[in-house]
Amino acid sequence: MSAPLPTVEDQRDTATFEALMWAMARPGTIHDLPEGLSDLILALVDRECKVMVDDPALARLVATTGATLVSASLADHAFCLSADRALAVLTALPGGSALYPDQGATLVLPARLGQGPALRLSGPGVDGTCDVRIGGLPDGFLAARAARCRYPEGIEIAFVDGRRVMGLPRSTTVKVL
Amino acid sequence: MTLATLTRPWAAMSYGFLDASAKREMRRKIIKAIAVPGCQMPYASREVPIARGWGTGGLQVTLTLIKPASVVKVIDQGADDSVNAASIRRFLSRVSGAAETWDTLEATILQSRHRIPEERLRDDQVLVLQVPNPEPLRPVQPNMSIARQMHADADYGRLWLVLYEQMVRSGRIVQGAAYPSLVNGRHVMTPSPIPRWDVPKLHMAHHLTLLSAGREKRLYAVPPFTRVEPLVFSDVPYQVEDHAGLTCHRSGLSGVFMNEIPQDSGGSVFEASDSNLGIKAIRQAEGEATKIGPMWYENGELRP
């Protein structure tokens, strides 16, 4: 019996997840997605999910996965392309509870990695501290994140810049330098 | 949009056995598990073709990660050649085309039952531990709803009481495996029934550890560089098994975790528990070119 071969979709989804998994396991490091932000939708989201998405093209893609399109306050995954709305979405998303930390949502948004204000990350996955630059975020975004991430409650954020992704799990402490 | 565009061509089996929606659920839960180290995340735990309790949790995590370029090592109590380990490894390679190995240094995914290899794991390696009972509070609180509340409150006093009672009854802490450990200063987890010897290998490690209980339908994770502190009293330091003075009767290795083999004469001999490390040591002694990687322990002492 010859070994089965992964389909193109299998390869893309596994590579996407591998990038996201290492991005979350090592906050501050940048990993490569096969194509871009839409990979994350296809690799993570299906009929069991409630998704907030603010872009019509992405909304059509989410619809093909069978996920329910909802407002941010009900979503378990949010894909927010507009920087103007990112703050409101972050504030509205469910953050889980100490009883059910798994109900905290995942937020995916575009950012400019390697530009913008210097940040110092620490926490699980970071050997000591790690300095990064994340640009294109609305004012007060990181302060709002800190307010939402009352560990073990919180929201996971994946910053996507083209084909590159950086993870910011709720366990990471961010200090603006 | 037509039905044809939403449907895939027929195939006898999904790549890596699990179907796409099962993998997506595993992915979502693994991300959450990494984000809250040591916190148990519920998941659906699909049927796989081995019985629950024989490594189905670890198998589902491995099947989610696996790709043709993966190299998998599967160990059962340190041994690569046990029936359980050999069956899981062969199944993994058959459904994915991934390569099989016994060598810790070659593996990209290491699925393990109850041991962590003696050679240090690297940044790019994922350790998947099979977990029979993921709930450290079960011995002190059988009601899982109350146990969940205790985790939410970080109410772990009763675990310290168990250790205290062991001290009072036996004069020392007798918890040999699945030693409760505080992860990232917040959640107590059971590190699966690895010996005390292996728990410090998870503390501030370079590799990613995923722990998954298929029968209990929960998974949790220890990301790299995460604090994993065994529960101890400040005046009673954590002690690993005293195997520093033992020598493997087959390979001559010393300063590694040993299995005790009782003999007919009434005595016992010892054998390195990490069986492939023993094999590599024998090959080296016979003059073959075999590479043994850096070890966690040196002469029975953990290296920083």
Side-chain angles (χ1 to χ4, degrees):
Chain A
M1 185 179 115
S2 65
L5 290 170
T7 62
V8 177
E9 292 85 3
D10 285 332
Q11 289 175 347
R12 180 198 60 212
D13 291 352
T14 305
T16 303
F17 173 62
E18 202 174 309
L20 183 65
M21 178 183 81
W22 286 118
M24 289 293 175
R26 300 183 194 282
T29 59
I30 293 173
H31 298 265
D32 286 337
L33 296 170
E35 283 156 36
L37 193 144
S38 60
D39 293 336
L40 292 169
I41 295 176
L42 296 167
L44 292 178
V45 164
D46 61 17
R47 283 183 302 181
E48 295 165 15
C49 299
K50 295 201 280 279
V51 177
M52 198 290 317
V53 54
D54 69 343
D55 177 75
L58 282 186
R60 281 194 292 280
L61 183 65
V62 171
T64 62
T65 67
T68 314
L69 291 166
V70 295
S71 64
S73 59
L74 297 170
D76 45 44
H77 291 77
F79 301 88
C80 184
L81 292 197
S82 127
D84 298 338
R85 294 199 51 194
L87 197 56
V89 170
L90 178 69
T91 315
L93 280 174
S97 60
L99 267 179
Y100 295 94
D102 53 307
Q103 290 173 356
T106 305
L107 170 61
V108 178
L109 72 166
R112 290 195 304 276
L113 302 178
Q115 301 171 33
L119 311 172
R120 180 157 290 169
L121 311 184
S122 58
V126 183
D127 186 9
T129 60
C130 168
D131 292 353
V132 297
R133 286 177 181 276
I134 305 175
L137 303 179
D139 291 342
F141 184 84
L142 292 168
R145 175 197 173 266
R148 291 307 315 275
C149 293
R150 297 283 180 223
Y151 192 83
E153 298 170 26
I155 292 163
E156 276 62 63
I157 303 175
F159 298 108
V160 180
D161 184 355
R163 287 174 51 189
R164 301 186 300 158
V165 62
M166 183 195 286
L168 200 57
R170 66 187 78 173
S171 54
T172 304
T173 308
V174 181
K175 191 177 157 200
V176 182
L177 295 178
Chain B
M1 189 183 295
T2 63
L3 262 186
T5 60
L6 292 170
T7 328
R8 295 211 181 135
W10 184 89
M13 188 189 74
S14 300
Y15 176 78
F17 190 80
L18 292 179
D19 59 76
S21 86
K23 284 188 182 173
R24 280 191 210 104
E25 197 229 0
M26 292 297 292
R27 291 178 192 134
R28 296 194 294 266
K29 296 299 182 177
I30 291 171
I31 295 297
K32 292 297 155 189
I34 289 170
V36 193
C39 180
Q40 302 162 52
M41 300 297 173
Y43 72 103
S45 191
R46 264 67 175 188
E47 292 285 341
V48 282
I50 56 172
R52 293 250 160 95
W54 290 85
T56 56
L59 187 58
Q60 289 173 75
V61 171
T62 309
L63 289 172
T64 305
L65 296 173
I66 208 160
K67 55 185 181 179
S70 301
V71 184
V72 289
K73 172 182 166 83
V74 184
I75 47 177
D76 175 1
Q77 295 276 16
D80 297 84
D81 55 354
S82 89
V83 173
N84 192 198
S87 304
I88 291 176
R89 189 172 53 244
R90 193 177 58 170
F91 174 74
L92 286 169
S93 73
R94 273 194 183 176
V95 300
S96 71
E100 302 178 32
T101 186
W102 284 23
D103 191 341
T104 303
L105 303 179
E106 287 176 4
T108 59
I109 307 173
L110 300 95
Q111 182 175 333
S112 168
R113 173 178 175 270
H114 307 359
R115 272 312 310 279
I116 299 176
E118 300 286 0
E119 288 159 288
R120 277 178 184 271
L121 299 180
R122 297 184 310 265
D123 294 18
D124 58 327
Q125 291 176 311
V126 183
L127 175 67
V128 181
L129 286 170
Q130 302 169 195
V131 185
N133 171 18
E135 181 53 85
L137 293 168
R138 189 156 300 161
V140 296
Q141 179 47 267
N143 183 324
M144 63 164 80
S145 302
I146 299 175
R148 180 178 281 278
Q149 184 69 56
M150 290 167 74
H151 280 292
D153 297 340
D155 172 13
Y156 296 123
R158 289 190 201 179
L159 292 176
W160 298 87
L161 188 63
V162 168
L163 298 176
Y164 174 73
E165 284 177 346
Q166 291 179 3
M167 294 286 301
V168 172
R169 289 205 181 115
S170 313
R172 65 190 178 88
I173 290 171
V174 295
Q175 182 92 31
Y179 197 100
S181 306
L182 187 66
V183 184
N184 192 27
R186 177 59 179 82
H187 287 96
V188 168
M189 70 158 188
T190 168
S192 84
I194 55 175
R196 290 199 303 267
W197 182 274
D198 285 347
V199 178
K201 297 175 183 175
L202 295 173
H203 176 69
M204 300 305 272
H206 287 253
H207 66 278
L208 167 65
T209 308
L210 301 170
L211 303 100
S212 178
R215 189 178 48 197
E216 305 283 336
K217 303 184 169 79
R218 297 177 195 191
L219 64 85
Y220 48 108
V222 179
F225 302 109
T226 301
R227 283 177 292 139
V228 177
E229 295 149 323
L231 298 186
V232 283
F233 300 98
S234 52
D235 54 344
V236 183
Y238 182 75
Q239 280 187 319
V240 301
E241 289 80 356
D242 185 17
H243 287 188
L246 305 178
T247 304
C248 172
H249 78 112
R250 295 172 75 183
S251 66
L253 278 172
S254 61
V256 297
F257 190 77
M258 297 287 178
N259 294 335
E260 187 171 1
I261 318 279
Q263 300 294 298
D264 288 342
S265 60
S268 57
V269 296
F270 294 89
E271 193 176 292
S273 163
D274 186 341
S275 66
N276 194 55
L277 183 71
I279 291 170
K280 288 207 279 190
I282 292 170
R283 288 199 178 139
Q284 248 183 11
E286 287 172 348
E288 277 185 53
T290 312
K291 187 165 181 282
I292 293 182
M295 312 262 276
W296 302 94
Y297 283 86
E298 197 169 12
N299 302 323
E301 296 285 324
L302 190 73
R303 283 207 243 168

